Amino acid sequence: MEIHEHSPKDSGKALRVLKSRRISFRYRSPKDDSKVMMKLEQLTQSHPREGLWKYYYPLRNRGEKINNKRLHRIYKEMKLSLRRKVKKRLPARVKTPLEVPEISTHTWSIDFMSDVMCSQTVESSAVLM
């Protein structure tokens, strides 16, 4: 609003330089967000480490008719956004080559199978050398 207060004639030039429209420059939303801000403030005091979605559903359940986009805008204005938790990476595993057995009987394999035939279950297990 500083542009318009100093000299109203120059505001058009400044808005053209900024590539903005005069209507968007003067627009003020008629909505009052103070009630939602108070309720959101109460929730953040009782649960400070919760995120936006953890506040959205309790507000809706209490009967507050609020859009998630509007709540997100208010949440950002109040500077309540939290840092995202980064997943911890596991250390890289040491890759070792597979051991080849000297004799064929040194390795064993176990296999479990089941099949349903005519509403009867057939289960079997096999041990391979």
Side-chain angles (χ1 to χ4, degrees):
M1 288 301 282
E2 294 177 24
I3 298 170
H4 189 66
E5 289 172 1
H6 290 298
S7 56
K9 293 180 182 178
D10 293 340
S11 64
K13 289 180 183 178
L15 290 171
R16 275 193 296 275
V17 169
L18 296 173
K19 295 182 180 176
S20 181
R21 303 185 86 187
R22 190 171 284 150
I23 190 87
S24 62
F25 179 68
R26 293 184 181 187
Y27 178 76
R28 296 289 171 242
S29 175
K31 297 175 186 171
D32 183 27
D33 296 329
S34 59
K35 291 179 183 178
V36 178
M37 284 182 162
M38 286 174 42
K39 290 181 181 180
L40 193 57
E41 186 68 35
Q42 291 171 353
L43 282 172
T44 55
Q45 287 176 356
S46 59
H47 304 285
R49 295 298 303 163
E50 301 288 323
L52 171 71
W53 291 105
K54 296 280 186 167
Y55 298 136
Y56 174 69
Y57 293 111
L59 284 173
R60 292 287 295 221
N61 292 339
R62 291 180 187 172
E64 187 70 36
K65 292 184 179 179
I66 187 163
N67 187 340
N68 63 341
K69 294 173 210 152
R70 180 178 171 208
L71 184 65
H72 184 258
R73 179 180 51 79
I74 296 167
Y75 187 77
K76 288 286 208 181
E77 284 176 8
M78 293 175 71
K79 296 188 170 105
L80 297 174
S81 52
L82 300 172
R83 261 185 55 232
R84 288 190 175 215
K85 293 180 183 176
V86 180
K87 290 184 179 180
K88 294 179 183 176
R89 292 193 172 258
L90 295 173
R93 67 177 177 90
V94 179
K95 296 180 181 178
T96 57
L98 293 174
E99 295 179 19
V100 179
E102 295 172 8
I103 305 170
S104 64
T105 58
H106 281 220
T107 51
W108 294 67
S109 296
I110 300 175
D111 189 19
F112 297 99
M113 298 176 285
S114 68
D115 193 13
V116 177
M117 292 173 46
C118 300
S119 71
Q120 291 182 350
T121 305
V122 178
E123 295 178 350
S124 67
S125 63
V127 179
L128 304 172
M129 288 196 262

